[in-house]
Amino acid sequence: MSTTALNDLSRFPIVQAPMAGGASCPELVGAVCEAGALGFLAGGYKTAGGLYQEIKRVRGLTARPFGVNLFLPPDGRPADPAAVDVYRHQLAGEATWYDTPLGETDDSRDDAYDAKLAILLEDPVPVVSFTFGCPAKETFHAFDRAGTYTIVTVTSAEEALVAQRAGADAVCVQGVEAGGHQGTYRDDPADEGAPGTGLLTLVTEVREAVALPIVAAGGIMRGAQIAAVLAAGAEAAQLGTAFLCCPESGAHPLHKQALTDPLFTRTALTRAFSGRPARGLVNRFMREHGPYAPAAYPEIHHLTAPLRKAAATAGDAQGMALWAGQGHRLARELPAGQLVEVLAAELDTALSGPAFRSAS
């Protein structure tokens, strides 16, 4: 395991979540790191060359530690082609409406994972995290030799135990409140409709199961919430939706506006856009297609990609994947560096309050 400590990677116990799809761009990561938090690039959906260029850009913006997140390849057999074909037929009306063809679903299922691993081992970054599974022990040994701190996203104590046994340096505990994809290792359709575990309960369960440092993620938007997860046993808090509205964020302007638009009143988990459960603002596309989307990642992601792009081009938020955590209405349109400072000040106020003073 790495000799680096989690709290040595940044001034504040604040992590900017890796948000695939463009939101976690180098400008956001650089600004977050310069302000004293830990910024993360999202490696998902990028080519290996594209990821390399983004890493290079981050290094030009900051000399402080930053991280890169990778999606593990889907585990098991490809999705049922018949189920994907049925969903393709259901989306035919969307293709007509947006005047764009549906995407092909025979793209590679590994997201160029091995090529990205090679880049990160040949030219190491300070931190690498993994989502949708846990790598083999050999991968952690390789990153350990490279001096890279490793984190694995987990959604249960059982997954945290797997990460600890494999050699991860830390776990990112993701509560059901979190926006975007659920990072569970096993995308089981049999679990469809299960409520999931709230963040504070999950942090406590993981804290009692493993000895690894914990980064807590899920619905966190204020410094007082960071204080709460620290009190529950986490070493840091990871925030994604809170950073989406920042001017440095690469999220689409319609996505940023939707976070606080009274038209979007709630979030829900859906497979409608990617074939894997992900939390987003409930819009027309999610309501109409979510109940019928099969468990087929990344096939459904590729299938709907042209629709999502066309909806964004047309200025139609009702056809976009508006990933957001349950705390989205608390989003603040602040520069990333200022947001880190505000969160740190709120955290300090919470930690110096009577409840925390009496507890210590």
Side-chain angles (χ1 to χ4, degrees), residues 190-270:
D191 295 334
E192 196 78 14
T197 305
L199 180 59
L200 287 177
T201 298
L202 188 56
V203 167
T204 303
E205 291 176 351
V206 173
R207 177 74 291 145
E208 294 184 1
V210 302
L212 296 177
I214 290 172
V215 178
I220 301 173
M221 303 292 287
R222 296 288 188 266
Q225 292 171 294
I226 298 174
V229 297
L230 296 183
E235 278 73 18
Q238 179 170 284
L239 294 75
T241 305
F243 285 100
L244 275 177
C245 279
C246 295
E248 298 92 340
S249 160
H252 193 282
L254 287 176
H255 192 170
K256 295 182 181 184
Q257 294 166 14
L259 295 175
T260 53
D261 187 334
L263 181 65
F264 300 99
T265 59
R266 65 187 181 92
T267 65
L269 293 172
T270 185

Side-chain angles (χ1 to χ4, degrees), residues 96-152:
T96 300
W97 177 257
Y98 290 115
D99 191 24
T100 189
L102 296 172
E104 297 300 322
T105 58
D106 57 356
D107 298 69
S108 171
R109 288 172 56 84
D110 70 2
D111 197 39
Y113 176 73
D114 290 338
K116 293 171 187 176
L117 273 185
I119 287 172
L120 294 170
L121 288 169
E122 290 170 8
D123 191 6
V125 299
V127 190
V128 170
S129 68
F130 301 91
T131 302
F132 299 159
C134 182
K137 290 182 179 180
E138 293 74 20
T139 300
F140 290 112
H141 292 162
F143 277 114
D144 190 24
R145 291 191 295 271
T148 297
Y149 194 86
T150 52
I151 305 174
V152 176

Side-chain angles (χ1 to χ4, degrees), residues 10 52 62 67 81 84 101 123 143 155 158 165 172 192 204 247 250 255 284 288 304 355:
S10 60
Y52 175 80
T62 183
V84 174
D123 191 6
F143 277 114
T155 61
E158 292 76 17
R165 292 167 184 152
C172 178
E192 196 78 14
T204 303
H255 192 170
R284 177 194 62 78
E288 293 182 2
T304 66

Side-chain angles (χ1 to χ4, degrees), residues 267-346:
T267 65
L269 293 172
T270 185
R271 296 183 188 273
F273 297 102
S274 71
R276 190 179 177 103
R279 183 173 297 281
L281 300 175
V282 176
N283 60 5
R284 177 194 62 78
F285 194 101
M286 189 188 296
R287 287 192 299 269
E288 293 182 2
H289 302 295
Y292 311 103
Y297 175 88
E299 288 85 355
I300 302 305
H301 163 77
H302 293 303
L303 185 69
T304 66
L307 297 177
R308 290 179 274 125
K309 183 177 180 179
T313 300
D316 183 8
Q318 295 294 337
M320 298 169 59
L322 304 172
W323 303 138
Q326 288 183 345
H328 64 94
R329 279 173 286 193
L330 297 173
R332 297 177 280 201
E333 193 173 347
L334 296 172
Q338 184 179 346
L339 179 57
V340 170
E341 293 172 0
V342 169
L343 289 167
E346 291 173 345

